[in-house]
Amino acid sequence: MTAVAPEEAGLIAARGVEAAVTGIGVVAPGGVGTEQWWAAVLRGENAIGPVTRFDASGYPARLAGEVTGFVDADHVTSRLLPQTDRVTRFALAAAAEALGDADLDPARLPDYAVGVVTANGSGGFEFGQHELQALWSKGSRHVGAYQSFAWFYAANSGQISIRHGLRGPSGVIVSEQAGGLDAVAQARRQLRKGIRAVVTGGVDSALCPWGWTAQLADGGLSTCDDPDRAYLPFDAEASGHVVGEGGALFVLEDGDAARGRGATVHGTIAGCAATFDPAPGTGEPRLLAAAELALADAGVTPGDIDVVFADGAGERNADRAEAQALAALFGPYGVPVTAPKSMTGRLSAGGSALDLAAALLALRDQVIPPTTGTARVDDDCPVELVTGRPRPAVLRTALVLARGRGGFNAATVVRAAR
């Protein structure tokens, strides 16, 4: 394990407050609700398929991980429906499930005791597209007042705060796929400042022509039309990723306070770290440094990690770089690795949050979910990838990794509940 650079040692937070996860809420391809989604993951069900939300036949990429079975009116009042993008409706549903799972009623706590920090990478893209269509086809008088906030990255945090009366510290993190983990890290900082609980995590959705065009711009989408072969993390035939939507939200609480009220603790956030890559061609990616810092923050060694939930970009150079970072930290094939996002696609800010939910449930059930699709891990990716079916294992500590476009890296160490 490489020593942490002196200038980064100060980033390791002072310990003292145990950040306990007491609630999980999921809206994702494969299931609306935590247990429904988790059961689909353990069955290895691929939720990637042809885009149905708009006509994608004219685009080079035509597959996505869509959330199905989500009835907006079941989760959002008729008054809120015209004010919100679909991504905010997902977030409201996930937050309600997480608070219910935690059995936490913010109204019974002091004012300002509960905050909300979410991550989002695209804002309300679909809502914004509809308003732009109205602007250019009908004129400015047909653009609604709700466009002033429904498109915004912070709309999820704001609407969750309003619905549940969360008057504590609020915010939004924008760091693409790394965002879900970065939001949880920020929530943990708030606990250490004395906040009782925080609703946190990430949710994203941009499955509309405007969002699709933006996704295509960086050239990273797979153009394969076979849902079982389009997104293949660490595979020799990996050709890009598939876009998905949804994510996961959590209730993060002071562990002592949570146990004092009799709450069930799903696990604890033991370590967090984030790094940023240098400009292209000027240095090495810094995912390894993020992992090292997270382990140091948690006070654990590589030998304490039982499973890694990988970023799994599905692109040859990115997969090779992640595999080399894992080999440097754990040794070649040194720890079981999985990327269950192979069944959902990459969900931007919702992706790493969903991986965190998978890690917590894996620790609970003592099983490693599989990476589907990947048939042959390339020789230049020396990782012990769990494929095909779930693997029973003794699990106490997991490492979750994420990389966001633009150079973001995040790592989180999760420990099983006592």
Side-chain angles (χ1 to χ4, degrees):
M1 181 175 177
T2 306
V4 175
E7 64 269 21
E8 293 179 323
L11 298 176
I12 299 173
R15 300 176 182 89
V17 175
E18 181 188 48
V21 179
T22 57
I24 304 174
V26 169
V27 175
V32 177
T34 300
E35 297 302 336
Q36 182 183 1
W37 162 76
W38 181 238
V41 169
L42 294 183
R43 290 193 298 267
E45 292 183 0
N46 186 6
I48 292 172
V51 173
T52 64
R53 299 267 292 281
F54 63 95
D55 181 5
S57 59
Y59 296 88
R62 293 173 287 274
L63 299 179
E66 295 182 336
V67 173
T68 59
F70 184 90
V71 180
D72 297 50
D74 290 346
H75 303 278
V76 179
T77 65
S78 58
R79 181 182 64 83
L80 268 182
L81 282 172
Q83 301 181 31
T84 53
D85 182 84
R86 188 171 176 84
V87 69
T88 301
R89 299 166 193 169
F90 287 167
L92 286 167
E97 185 189 10
L99 285 165
D101 182 37
D103 195 23
L104 183 69
D105 181 1
R108 302 185 64 171
L109 296 175
D111 283 348
Y112 312 106
V114 185
V116 53
V117 179
T118 67
N120 184 267
S122 59
F125 246 56
E126 188 172 14
F127 192 102
Q129 176 183 306
H130 291 161
E131 295 302 289
L132 285 172
Q133 287 176 306
L135 172 65
W136 294 113
S137 65
K138 300 178 182 178
S140 59
R141 288 180 297 176
H142 294 273
V143 176
Y146 300 133
Q147 168 64 6
S148 63
F149 61 81
W151 69 272
F152 192 41
Y153 308 101
N156 296 350
S157 288
Q159 293 289 3
I160 292 168
S161 174
I162 292 168
R163 170 175 283 191
H164 299 286
L166 309 183
R167 302 175 66 189
S170 294
V172 61
I173 304 294
V174 183
S175 51
E176 216 260 339
Q177 187 84 13
L181 298 186
D182 289 339
V184 170
Q186 174 67 2
R188 190 176 67 147
R189 295 185 193 102
Q190 296 296 346
L191 294 183
R192 289 175 167 174
K193 293 177 181 179
I195 299 303
R196 169 68 181 273
V198 184
V199 175
T200 188
V203 181
D204 246 309
S205 177
L207 299 188
C208 61
W210 187 22
W212 206 247
T213 302
Q215 293 281 355
L216 286 165
D218 75 347
L221 293 191
S222 171
T223 58
C224 175
D225 284 330
D226 181 353
D228 293 324
R229 299 297 297 162
Y231 180 29
L232 307 172
F234 302 107
D235 194 289
E237 298 181 7
S239 62
H241 69 276
V242 173
V243 175
E245 63 178 349
L249 294 178
F250 311 93
V251 174
L252 208 63
E253 290 188 65
D254 177 293
D256 290 338
R259 291 187 180 90
R261 69 178 184 85
T264 297
V265 174
H266 295 295
T268 60
I269 306 302
C272 300
T275 59
F276 198 78
D277 290 343
T282 64
E284 294 298 317
R286 305 203 65 235
L287 180 64
L288 173 59
E292 292 172 338
L293 285 164
L295 265 60
D297 185 26
V300 301
T301 68
D304 296 316
I305 300 298
D306 302 309
V307 61
V308 174
F309 285 77
D311 176 69
E315 189 274 325
R316 292 297 302 119
N317 290 333
D319 284 348
R320 185 183 303 114
E322 183 173 22
Q324 290 171 353
L326 291 172
L329 188 58
F330 300 103
Y333 310 100
V335 65
V337 175
T338 188
K341 60 171 66 69
S342 59
M343 293 175 250
T344 64
R346 293 177 69 82
L347 314 186
S348 190
S352 56
L354 195 63
D355 279 345
L356 182 57
L360 288 161
L361 296 168
L363 294 174
R364 181 193 72 181
D365 294 346
Q366 297 290 282
V367 62
I368 302 173
T371 305
T372 61
T374 298
R376 183 175 74 83
V377 176
D378 204 314
D379 293 339
D380 61 8
C381 292
V383 294
E384 185 194 341
L385 194 67
V386 177
T387 61
R389 63 185 62 184
R391 178 188 296 181
V394 177
L395 306 175
R396 294 298 303 165
T397 309
L399 174 65
V400 184
L401 299 177
R403 292 172 293 186
R405 284 181 295 178
F408 299 100
N409 304 294
T412 300
V413 175
V414 190
R415 190 173 286 130
R418 295 184 223 156

